[in-house]
DNA sequence: CCGTAACCGAGACGGTACGTCACGTCTTGAG
DNA sequence: CTCAAGACGTGACGTACCGTCTCGGTTACGG
């Protein structure tokens, strides 16, 4: 006969599941509490884990939140809608949808704020969020070039700089719209943005 | 006849000097400590003021930092450099210079992060930072229209939406470049950005 | 079979040394500062302990001071000096000596004052100070009855009421002499008091 | 030529009504809040008076409360009930009734506690409360001597010491019964106390 | 009957302590 | 060894009063 007090308490290796549980608990806490009221003690409780376990794996709140948020952006997919404009609209809408989620908004901006004073954190964000999603720009450009919508790049260095710039413009615009202007990046806005991005301000309005 | 709610309230009036000292101390603390390690007690000490004085005037850290940061952006001026492209480059460089300052970076992002869970704070940011600087877009466009570089708008509502969009694109791009990509928004970058903004991606690269 | 609410609770156990250090620090602070200027932060510092540790164990200043003061009265011993009068004089002098100590004066009166508005505190004082020392009256009476100096009680309830009354008279007189009249309860006063207690006012003065 | 330190000082005289209002407000606050939660700001508000007015007249909370409480004991009257025992019972019951009032309990004990560390306060209490009520002992003794219930004193110094002792015993017993034992000093208790006071413990119980 | 000096209310000020909370570390017992 | 539980020292929080200090305004004497 077994002890009543340990119905599911079967032995050792929880270690593997713990990481996922902690990151999920972190996102849940971000939704409910926001970054500044999120506490590691609370995350540990939600994840059914001791505080010490948590500190064994992450240096602190910032690192934990970066990892928890980074996973969110891996859902992004570049759709094939037949034209560059439509592809951009599609991916920007996806990005806007993710940024509209409270755990993304609150967590992302906070760690970026923290990263201004923490070189290691800045690098962690760049590597696991920014660089990781830059693939979308590269794929999109390649596809547009294949379609003949964009000219082929000649100098690879120049190509890289341009990709970075486009990423800054696209991601920056959505972030600013969503968080600073506090307006939804909805279909209408995305259409207008895409037109400006592709044709510029100088072109006469249709 | 005078207002019944007396023009000079009873009791000792609030020290005018204190406000300025507190905001300056807040910026100094942001530079040295960053947002998350900034404490109101420390700000009070730096300003030579009691903590209670600080709480009498601001609801908390967030509101204080918004006010302290908002003042930074009032330095922005739209230069008249003779062409729309040059004007944009000029103002974007100024904006980039301000955003490069540690008190702006750390403070601005953090309050935006907080604002995702605080409607009043979001409105405060919009009013005292975002809307306040939108004037630059409006002036710039008017000047470009006077020069014939941009067509006159026909529908005022459409004009307003476009101004908002341009502001999101410009400010967003600088913010993303500076904070997410963690690269300087230097003259070269600003030139590239301005070209994309004015002519779009579709135009063949020179 | 063991208790289900485990005999040794989980987690790090409370430091045994801390309790003693805190009570000693409390008495030291009472001596130096008195009750009203005693702060829990200061007690914690003196005891080499964090403020939170203190709050984990006591509900507040009052409860802490009661415990610190209660220990003082446990020194009281009923001497055997051969006669009821001599025994009373001996114990009253001891009691006066304790009450003359600043930590006792200041602390005891203050918590009694507080207890007028706090039922739980009143009960704590009664249990850990008043009832605890009533033993002296009971022992003294038993000894005097053994010597034939006092008649045996017949009704136990009456005996209890009388013991309470004697305790009120003895302790009250010393308290009043020491604190209200602010005069020392010295040997001469104790002798006079004992004579009145034993023979009453009506007896002609020798 | 007039005195330079004018007999009636120049300027607006202090409001006579304010003093009474403040003392009444102090007692009301003692009833509602007790000593430790009584604040001078609150007393000022209750009295319809500015805090500064209050500080102009009293040095602090302690002095104010002494004055407020002292007035309570001036109600005490020595009744003429025909015998020493009956007179004592009468006055002790009156004293017990006053001490049962929350403003007396809370305020009196607290200032006595404070007085253990403040010579001036100790003297103020002695003068305006203790000495002031000692008259009851003197009158009572004189009346009992006139009736032949007590012998005449021969040495005036001895007489004074005895009066002090009796006051300590009587007042102390009531205080201890009421506040330390936290039991009512009701008629039955007062009768028992009076019998012990007059005949002593050695006398066999009737 | 007018000046003036001390009073008054209101309330902001620099402080101190409060009691709470989260931090990140540590110490225990169980497995 | 790793884990959960939880106590620990530290330090900031936001609040409440302290006693002091301006303020503008109001008496009531005394010249």
């Amino acid at each position: 006969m077994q002890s009543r007090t340990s119905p599911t308490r079967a032995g050792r290796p929880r270690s593997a599941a713990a990481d996922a549980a902690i990151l999920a608990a972190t996102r849940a806490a971000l939704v409910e509490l926001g970054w500044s009221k999120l506490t590691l003690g609370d995350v540990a409780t939600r994840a059914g884990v001791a505080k010490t376990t948590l500190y064994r794996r992450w240096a602190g709140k910032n690192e934990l939140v970066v990892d928890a948020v980074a996973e969110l952006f891996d859902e992004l997919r570049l759709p094939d809608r037949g034209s560059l404009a439509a592809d951009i609209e599609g991916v920007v809408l996806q990005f806007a949808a993710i940024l509209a989620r409270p755990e993304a908004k609150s967590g992302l901006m906070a760690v970026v704020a923290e990263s201004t004073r923490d070189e290691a954190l800045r690098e962690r964000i760049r590597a696991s969020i920014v660089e990781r999603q830059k693939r979308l720009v590269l794929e999109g450009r390649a596809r547009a070039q294949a379609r003949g919508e964009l000219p082929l790049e000649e100098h690879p260095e120049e190509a890289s700089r341009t990709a970075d710039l486009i990423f800054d413009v696209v991601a920056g615009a959505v972030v600013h719209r969503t968080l600073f202007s506090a307006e939804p990046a909805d279909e209408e806005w995305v259409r207008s943005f895409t037109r400006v991005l592709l044709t510029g301000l100088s072109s006469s309005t249709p």
Side-chain angles (χ1 to χ4, degrees), chain A:
Chain A
M1 180 176 296
Q2 274 291 88
S3 151
R4 215 177 317 282
T5 55
S6 55
T8 57
R9 185 71 163 289
R12 287 290 305 281
R14 196 170 191 177
S15 182
D19 270 71
I22 291 169
L23 291 175
T26 302
R27 281 187 293 268
L30 277 174
V31 172
E32 283 181 36
L33 306 168
W35 184 82
S36 65
K37 301 201 171 169
L38 176 153
T39 69
L40 294 202
D42 181 57
V43 169
T45 303
R46 285 169 192 261
V49 139
K51 246 192 326 172
T52 37
T53 299
L54 213 147
Y55 278 105
R56 228 173 265 126
R57 293 161 147 88
W58 283 276
K61 185 162 152 172
N62 293 328
E63 288 74 11
L64 174 61
V65 170
V66 170
D67 287 8
V69 169
E71 289 186 348
L72 291 174
F73 292 98
D74 288 340
E75 304 175 3
L76 285 172
R77 293 287 174 271
L78 184 68
D80 190 341
R81 295 175 155 197
S83 75
L84 176 55
D87 286 3
I88 292 177
E89 287 176 10
V91 80
V92 166
L93 276 171
Q94 283 181 54
F95 184 50
I98 292 174
L99 254 198
R101 287 158 67 173
E103 64 271 40
K105 285 206 270 221
S106 182
L108 181 60
M109 296 315 276
V111 294
V112 168
E114 290 299 293
S115 78
T116 62
R117 306 200 47 86
D118 180 341
E119 170 62 38
L121 185 62
R122 185 155 56 241
E123 186 48 34
R124 190 183 194 114
I125 293 173
R126 246 182 35 75
S128 66
I129 304 184
V130 180
E131 288 300 323
R132 198 173 171 77
Q133 304 309 329
K134 211 167 269 179
R135 63 188 165 92
L136 297 165
V137 174
L138 301 177
E139 287 177 37
R141 177 166 63 184
R143 195 180 291 166
Q145 287 169 337
R147 286 194 199 105
E149 291 172 303
L150 287 178
L152 287 169
E153 305 282 337
E154 289 172 6
H155 309 296
E157 196 186 318
E158 171 71 19
S160 166
R161 267 207 299 279
T162 306
D164 288 355
L165 174 61
I166 294 169
F167 194 62
D168 286 333
V169 172
V170 174
V174 176
V175 165
H176 200 276
R177 171 75 176 180
T178 306
L179 297 175
F180 289 72
S181 299
E183 302 278 355
D186 53 20
E187 288 209 29
E188 187 192 339
W189 182 86
V190 170
R191 225 169 0 246
S192 304
F193 166 70
T194 304
R195 198 181 58 242
V196 168
L197 177 64
L198 289 177
T199 66
L201 293 180
S202 303
S203 71
S204 56
T205 26

